[in-house]
Amino acid sequence: MADMTAPFLLEADKGRIETDFMGTREVPAAAYWGIQTLRAVENFAITGTQICSYPLLVKALAQIKHAAVLTNFDLGLIDTVKKDAIGKACQDIEQGRLLDQFVVDVIQGGAGTSTNMNANEVIANRALELLGFDKGEYSRIHPNGDVNMGQSTNDVYPTAIRIATIQGTQQLLAAMGHLRLALARKAIEFDDVVKVGRTQLQDAVPMTLGQEFSTYAVMVDEDERRIREALVHLHEINLGATAIGTGLNTHPDYAAQACIHLQRITGLPLVTAGNLVEATQDCGVFVLFSGMLKRVAVKLSKICNDLRLLSSGPRAGFAEINLPPRQAGSSIMPGKVNPVIPEVVNQVAFEVIGYDLTVTMAAEAGQLQLNAFEPIIARSLFASLASLTAACTSLADHCIDGITANKEFLRSQVEASIGVVTVLNPLIGYDAATSIARHALAEGRSVTSLVLESGLLTAAELDEILRPERLANPQAHATHPPPTAVPGPDSLPAEQQARPHVVTSPPNTDGRH
C-alpha cells in the first residue's frame, strides 16, 4: 500500500517525533499539524478533497477555538500568555493563513474528530511558533489540554458546520438575487411580447413573455425567502455540550460565555440550544436546510427545462426565444448550438437532490447520543451551496442576460392559436366561440381571420382585445356586455349564416349538460 505521508515528507531527516497513546511517529518538521492529523491522512484517503477546500469551515473552526480560549481566560482557566498566543494563531487562520495545513479528507470516520484535531494541532504549533518555541513542544501549549480546553469534537464540529453553512449561504443568496434581477429585467423587456401559454404542453390562452419571465423571478425570490427562514434555525449551537451534552469538564458558565464571544467574533446572532443533550445528537436542522437547498435546485431545474423547450429549434422546435450561443454544439453537425447553460444547471440540480438524500440518510443513521456521520452531511451541504451559487451566477450571466424573443413569430402563434377563442368567449358567446374553434381546426385557419370574416368582431376590436397589457391583466380590462348584445350565428347576415364554419354547435343528444 502506498505511503500516504509521502507528499508531506520531503526529506526523511527533517522530521520531528511526536507521540500519542498509540505510539510514536515522525511528522514533517515544517508541518503545523501533528501526529493525530498524520494518522487521519493515512486512514481517510477517500475523496482526495481536503478540508482546506472548504475555507469557511476552517475559518469557523478557528473562530470557535478563539471564542473558547477567551472564555477559558475569563473563567481563570488559562493564563494571559497562552490566551494571547492561541488567540493570535486563531486570528491568523481566520484571516486565511495556514489554510494549506488543513489536510485531512473531508469524509472521515470519528464524527469529525480528525478535523477538530487538525485544527487543534495547527493552532497549537502556530501559537508555539509565535512564542519562539519549536513545533511539537506540547508541554508548553498542548493541542488537547489548551487549544481544546472545555470542548469536544461533538460540540465544536457541528457548531463549525452551522457557522460555515450560514456564511456560505450568504454567497448563495447573493447569487440568487443576481439571477432574480436578471429575470426581472427580461420580464420588463418582454412586457409587450404576446405569446401562447401552455398547460400540459398543449395550447392554452394568451399571455405575455414578460409574465413568463416574471414568474421565474418570483420563483427565485420565494426561495430566497425560504432559505433565509431556514437559516434562522442554524443559529442555535451546542458549544459547551462537550461529549454528549452534559457539559462534562466545563465550567458552569462556559457555554453561555463562549456563545457571547462567538457572537462577537462571527458577527452572528448565535444562541445556545436549550437542551444540549438533544442538540448534540439531533441533525434535524441539517435535514431542514438541505431540503431548502433541494427546493432551490428543483425550481432552477424547472426554469431551465422551460428555457430549453422555449428555445428548441431553431426550425423544428418551439423557437419562441433565442438563448445566447456559448459554444459549438456538435462535432459533426455544423452550426448546431446547444442550450449548454441550462443543461449544466439541470445537472447541478440533480447533484443537489442527491446530496439531500445523503443528508437525510446520514441524519437518520445516528445512534443514541451522537451522530457519527456529520462529515458527509458537511460535505453535502458545502458542495450543494457551492454548486448552486455557481449555477445561479452562470445562468444569469451566460444565459438570461442574452436571451432574445422572436416577437413576430410569437404574435402569429397567438393569432393562429385555438386558445385565443377563450379570450373572445365573453364577447362573442360560448356557442359561437365553440363553432369558430372547431372550424379553425378543421380548416387550418386562424381564429382571428374567421372571427373577422364572420363579422362577430371588427379588426379594431380584435386589436384591442389582444393588446399585451390587456392579456397580461385581463381583469383590469374586462368588458362583459349583456347577453342580448352578444352576437350569435342567427344574428348574422344570411350569406354569413350559410357559411359552415359559423353554425352553432349541435345540441347534446346524450343527456349531458
Side-chain angles (χ1 to χ4, degrees), residues 95-213:
Q95 293 165 6
R97 300 186 185 96
L98 303 180
L99 186 60
D100 63 341
Q101 298 298 307
F102 289 81
V103 295
V104 299
D105 199 286
V106 65
I107 297 182
Q108 57 200 248
T113 298
S114 298
T115 294
N116 187 36
M117 281 309 306
N118 194 164
N120 289 333
E121 290 176 339
V122 172
I123 292 168
N125 281 309
R126 174 56 178 156
L128 287 168
E129 184 177 60
L130 290 168
L131 292 174
F133 299 114
D134 291 335
K135 298 183 187 70
E137 290 193 53
Y138 297 143
S139 62
R140 300 183 182 278
I141 292 183
H142 197 278
N144 295 74
D146 296 315
V147 180
N148 198 63
M149 182 185 293
Q151 306 146 63
S152 163
T153 295
N154 301 345
D155 58 353
V156 168
Y157 191 69
T159 297
I161 296 174
R162 284 165 167 79
I163 292 172
T165 300
I166 293 167
Q167 294 172 340
T169 301
Q170 301 311 315
Q171 299 172 4
L172 173 59
L173 288 171
M176 291 177 69
H178 181 59
L179 174 59
R180 170 175 45 80
L181 290 175
L183 291 164
R185 286 192 297 270
K186 284 299 167 182
I188 295 171
E189 179 183 341
F190 298 148
D191 185 56
D192 62 345
V193 180
V194 181
K195 62 161 287 178
V196 176
R198 294 181 180 85
T199 57
Q200 296 164 273
L201 291 180
Q202 305 299 305
D203 295 356
V205 297
M207 63 183 301
T208 67
L209 190 59
Q211 283 180 304
E212 199 156 37
F213 275 81

Side-chain angles (χ1 to χ4, degrees), residues 220-299:
V220 175
D221 180 66
E222 285 184 346
D223 280 356
E224 288 180 76
R225 296 172 188 271
R226 301 295 85 76
I227 288 289
R228 287 191 172 91
E229 291 170 0
L231 270 182
V232 173
H233 302 283
L234 284 168
H235 287 79
E236 184 179 276
I237 62 173
N238 73 326
L239 189 61
T242 63
I244 64 171
T246 61
L248 180 69
N249 293 343
T250 63
H251 189 282
D253 297 329
Y254 178 87
Q257 191 68 19
C259 186
I260 292 171
H261 280 297
L262 196 54
Q263 288 173 349
R264 180 184 58 79
I265 291 169
T266 63
L268 299 173
L270 304 170
V271 296
T272 300
N275 186 311
L276 292 178
V277 175
E278 180 275 333
T280 302
Q281 65 183 267
D282 183 16
C283 290
V285 68
F286 299 132
V287 176
L288 172 67
F289 191 76
S290 178
M292 291 301 101
L293 296 181
K294 179 178 74 172
R295 171 180 162 138
V296 173
V298 168
K299 298 279 198 73

Side-chain angles (χ1 to χ4, degrees), residues 6-127:
F8 308 110
L9 290 170
L10 301 180
E11 296 182 28
D13 62 348
K14 289 194 174 182
R16 67 177 187 266
I17 302 300
E18 291 196 12
T19 303
D20 62 8
F21 78 95
M22 294 183 66
T24 298
R25 293 294 302 274
E26 184 179 33
V27 176
Y32 287 83
W33 42 265
I35 187 171
Q36 297 202 48
T37 300
L38 176 63
R39 295 193 190 281
V41 169
E42 295 172 338
N43 290 335
F44 307 125
I46 304 299
T47 68
T49 301
Q50 300 170 328
I51 58 173
C52 61
S53 300
Y54 302 105
L56 290 178
L57 176 63
V58 173
K59 179 181 178 181
L61 288 164
Q63 290 173 323
I64 292 166
K65 301 298 178 179
H66 194 179
V69 76
L70 293 176
T71 301
N72 287 324
F73 175 76
D74 291 344
L75 298 174
L77 302 174
I78 201 166
D79 63 38
T80 301
V81 174
K82 289 183 177 181
K83 183 263 293 185
D84 289 344
I86 292 172
K88 180 61 171 65
C90 291
Q91 288 178 324
D92 286 347
I93 296 168
E94 291 170 44
Q95 293 165 6
R97 300 186 185 96
L98 303 180
L99 186 60
D100 63 341
Q101 298 298 307
F102 289 81
V103 295
V104 299
D105 199 286
V106 65
I107 297 182
Q108 57 200 248
T113 298
S114 298
T115 294
N116 187 36
M117 281 309 306
N118 194 164
N120 289 333
E121 290 176 339
V122 172
I123 292 168
N125 281 309
R126 174 56 178 156

